[in-house]
Each structure stands twice: as C-alpha cells, then as structure tokens.
Amino acid sequence: QVHLVESGGGLVQPGGSLRLSCVASGNFFSINSLAWFRQVPGKERGLVASINNGGSTNYGDSVKGRFTISRDSANTVSLQMNNLKPENTAVYYCYAETLWDQSYPDASNCWGQGTQVTGSS
C-alpha cells in the first residue's frame, strides 16, 4: 500500500555532503511521520533522524549538528548530510508511519529499499 523510493546516496570524500530524498507513493490516507535509519552489516538498524507532521525532529547523537531532516511535502522527506565521516558509511533507509483511515485499511508502516552512503576517499 505504501512504496518508498530513496535517492541521493553515493560515495563522497570525508567532509563532503550528500542530500538524500525519499518519496512515498501508493494507497494511503496520509503519513504521520517520516524517518531515516541506517544499517551496516551485522548491526541493527538505528535511527538517524525523524520528523512528524508538526515538524518536530529527532536526531541521533552522532549526527546532530551535521545532518538535517526536512519535510519537503506531506509525502517527501530529505536528509541533508554534511561533513560526512567514514563512520557514516551505511545503507540509509527511509521509513514512513502512516495514519490509518477506513478508506485505506491495508496501509501500513513501510520501509524503503535503502540507498548506500559511503564517506571515504
């Protein structure tokens, strides 16, 4: 019912910047919040940043001050990643929390496929 497509990942040198974007499409009433998670092999996915309908944001401690999440539209979220470090290398996933409505009973929270971010020379 919900399809998320991430883009913007790539390889950059340490200190460089990337801007990730995620667009939600499909059959759903609305999206309550959007978030970015990261995952490296052998570790659980961890929250990078999130934003709700009211614009409230939450950041992981390791990215605070360097990354900025923004709600570009109701169904679009971006993550500005500045001063990238090698430890930021991971697959970044978009996550959408949908607001249930009787017209879209099958809509559910959804993960994107992920986009690779590599911060190395």
Side-chain angles (χ1 to χ4, degrees), residues 8-12 18 20 115-119:
L11 188 153
V12 297
L18 286 173
L20 307 183
T115 184
Q116 177 70 46
V117 172
T118 303

Side-chain angles (χ1 to χ4, degrees), residues 32 51-57 71:
N32 182 57
I51 185 167
N52 65 17
N53 282 343
S56 297
T57 59
R71 193 82 172 262

Side-chain angles (χ1 to χ4, degrees), residues 56-98:
S56 297
T57 59
N58 187 40
Y59 294 93
D61 290 339
S62 64
V63 305
K64 190 175 298 182
R66 297 188 296 117
F67 292 6
T68 303
I69 189 171
S70 61
R71 193 82 172 262
D72 302 322
S73 72
N75 302 329
T76 306
V77 65
S78 64
L79 182 70
Q80 180 66 43
M81 311 168 69
N82 295 328
N83 193 22
L84 283 163
K85 302 176 180 180
E87 53 264 40
N88 296 132
T89 297
V91 176
Y92 285 72
Y93 296 88
C94 183
Y95 178 76
E97 180 186 5
T98 61

